[in-house]
Amino acid sequence: MKNLILYSCILLITFQVFSQRKDENNLVKTDTISNTKNHQLIAIPIAFYTPETGFGFGGGGQLFFLNKKNTFKNRLSNVLFSGIYTLNEQLMFEITPQIYLGKGDYFIDAHYLLEIYPNSFWGIGNNTPDTNEEVYKQTTHAVNISFLKRLPPDLNFGFQFIFKNHEVTEIKENGILDTQNIIGRKRTVVAGLGAVFNYDTRDNVGSPNKGFYYQAKAQFSSEIFGATKGFNKFILDLREYLPIGDKSLLAFQLYSENNFGNIPFQSLASYGGGSRARGYFFGRYLDKQMYVSQIEYRWRFKPRWTLASFLLAGEVANKPEDFFSIKNIKPSYGLGARYKLFKNKDTWLRFDFGKGKDENSGIYFGINEAF
């Protein structure tokens, strides 16, 4: 494990030196494949590590439209595409267009995903035992298209179209998915509309030093649009970044998700992962309701080096009134380090270790902050 992590770090640092990435404000000018007055195409090698995937690697590119720009946030329209393979035999292909119109007053944010993904399942609920773990295989096609309107100076509001087709191709014989009537255990389609509202004053997106980010989403999957089951999903994501002196800050996040209706297990709230609940496998606990609250202290002891420590708690439940029983809360704590890859750009290499309840733990290696 130590050798794999070290090898991954060396690969990613090497890839970053000879590749080009876009941060929230500027472009890192390195490996440009094509460049004209109207567009710029770059190559992006990829390497990462998470408990859910193991070591992952691949590549892609990013096409920037130099004449279509958000003049208020100094961000360029672009299309990001990538293909990734992991040592857990997972295959992912993604295309993400982000197009600004009217100098940034309007924004199209879209995403397509093809995923062939062996994954783990423990059942549904906040207290599923580790011995329940079973592996299933699934192929997913997903499309998400958002159209947002800027409401000066820092508000954005818009609508979404959502489509996901989950095809479960292999399950464990006599396992939970085989013997229990779990919605989505064979095939499920999620299709419907949503609304998005956010307030964003962060100084940058990948590694904020100050500001606020408040987002609310409402999504509605309906048989009218071709969904196999109808349900509603409501998400609230609140973040604050408070500087402490010149070299450190406290970052806070409160995330809640509430689902109502007949929800396939693929769309249930998922506890764990490298962003919201480090120390737990993503999807280790699934249910209709979830909250996660976390605090992180970040100390930039050198211009390009940061140390971090974090503490979090949360849980899933079938109903909101089942929350806050002390024995059901899933806490986690951990430490991490970040290294700024480029002197004048806010692109950070992140390494975290999180320790959760019981035997749960995780090592996370990737780009930029968890939140």
Side-chain angles (χ1 to χ4, degrees):
M1 180 67 73
K2 291 180 180 178
N3 289 337
L4 178 58
I5 295 167
L6 177 60
Y7 181 57
S8 302
C9 291
I10 294 171
L11 273 179
L12 185 54
I13 292 172
T14 303
F15 288 161
Q16 289 293 337
V17 170
F18 291 100
S19 67
Q20 175 175 340
R21 295 184 61 88
K22 174 181 178 294
D23 66 12
E24 64 288 346
N25 293 319
N26 300 285
L27 301 179
V28 180
K29 298 180 180 179
T30 54
D31 190 14
T32 299
I33 296 175
S34 175
N35 194 4
T36 71
K37 291 182 179 180
N38 296 323
H39 78 272
Q40 184 176 35
L41 178 63
I42 63 171
I44 305 177
I46 299 168
F48 62 93
Y49 179 90
T50 71
E52 297 81 27
T53 63
F55 176 60
F57 56 91
Q62 196 162 16
L63 176 64
F64 293 97
F65 300 97
L66 305 180
N67 58 348
K68 293 185 180 296
K69 184 176 182 180
N70 181 342
T71 57
F72 308 104
K73 295 288 186 179
N74 195 27
R75 299 171 184 172
L76 290 175
S77 297
N78 69 94
V79 178
L80 175 67
F81 53 93
S82 64
I84 296 170
Y85 179 79
T86 79
L87 295 187
N88 287 352
E89 299 182 348
Q90 297 152 328
L91 180 65
M92 291 162 277
F93 176 71
E94 295 182 85
I95 302 176
T96 307
Q98 295 182 325
I99 307 299
Y100 295 100
L101 304 172
K103 297 184 179 181
D105 283 316
Y106 298 92
F107 178 43
I108 298 173
D109 187 8
H111 180 238
Y112 168 75
L113 169 68
L114 167 62
E115 191 175 65
I116 302 172
Y117 206 88
N119 206 355
S120 293
F121 181 73
W122 287 265
I124 297 173
N126 197 52
N127 295 298
T128 53
D130 291 337
T131 54
N132 274 13
E133 183 180 5
E134 61 185 61
V135 175
Y136 69 96
K137 294 183 179 180
Q138 178 175 271
T139 298
T140 295
H141 294 270
V143 177
N144 190 323
I145 302 173
S146 300
F147 182 78
L148 290 90
K149 171 70 170 71
R150 175 178 174 266
L151 305 175
D154 298 306
L155 298 175
N156 298 279
F157 175 78
F159 298 95
Q160 290 180 308
F161 171 75
I162 304 147
F163 176 85
K164 297 178 182 179
N165 182 12
H166 303 287
E167 189 81 36
V168 178
T169 57
E170 185 176 324
I171 59 177
K172 179 182 177 181
E173 186 176 358
N174 297 320
I176 300 171
L177 290 172
D178 189 26
T179 60
Q180 297 185 18
N181 189 24
I182 305 292
I183 300 176
R185 67 191 184 97
K186 293 183 178 180
R187 177 179 179 266
T188 191
V189 175
V190 177
L193 301 176
V196 183
F197 179 88
N198 68 55
Y199 172 66
D200 187 357
T201 67
R202 295 171 295 178
D203 58 340
N204 67 74
V205 175
S207 182
N209 299 299
K210 60 182 179 180
F212 305 88
Y213 178 77
Y214 302 147
Q215 183 181 73
K217 287 184 180 181
Q219 299 175 347
F220 311 96
S221 180
S222 172
E223 297 177 13
I224 296 175
F225 296 97
T228 51
K229 297 290 183 180
F231 66 93
N232 303 326
K233 181 187 293 285
F234 301 95
I235 295 174
L236 187 65
D237 188 355
L238 307 176
R239 310 179 194 182
E240 295 190 11
Y241 305 90
L242 304 179
I244 303 175
D246 296 330
K247 295 185 177 181
S248 60
L249 65 86
L250 283 175
F252 302 88
Q253 183 186 35
L254 175 63
Y255 179 93
S256 69
E257 183 174 332
N258 304 96
N259 295 277
F260 303 93
N262 298 312
I263 306 102
F265 79 91
Q266 297 94 335
S267 294
L268 289 169
S270 299
Y271 193 81
S275 298
R276 288 191 291 272
R278 286 163 286 180
Y280 296 89
F281 190 99
F282 180 73
R284 173 60 184 86
Y285 300 99
L286 302 171
D287 218 322
K288 291 183 177 181
Q289 322 295 329
M290 181 179 74
Y291 75 88
V292 183
S293 179
Q294 58 181 329
I295 180 173
E296 182 165 297
Y297 173 73
R298 301 169 187 167
W299 175 41
R300 190 170 298 180
F301 65 98
K302 288 189 176 182
R304 299 179 70 176
W305 283 97
T306 297
L307 294 179
S309 61
F310 62 88
L311 179 68
L312 64 89
E315 58 185 310
V316 299
N318 182 255
K319 298 176 291 185
E321 53 264 36
D322 295 333
F323 283 147
F324 307 122
S325 172
I326 296 298
K327 66 178 182 179
N328 291 332
I329 294 176
K330 304 293 187 289
S332 175
Y333 62 91
L335 299 171
R338 292 90 172 93
Y339 175 72
K340 193 174 185 180
L341 293 173
F342 304 103
K343 183 179 295 186
N344 299 318
K345 311 296 178 185
D346 276 311
T347 302
W348 294 78
L349 181 69
R350 175 169 63 95
F351 176 85
D352 282 329
F353 171 77
K355 179 68 174 69
K357 194 175 182 180
D358 299 324
E359 299 301 317
N360 291 283
S361 64
I363 294 172
Y364 307 90
F365 172 70
I367 292 294
N368 290 333
E369 297 292 352
F371 66 95

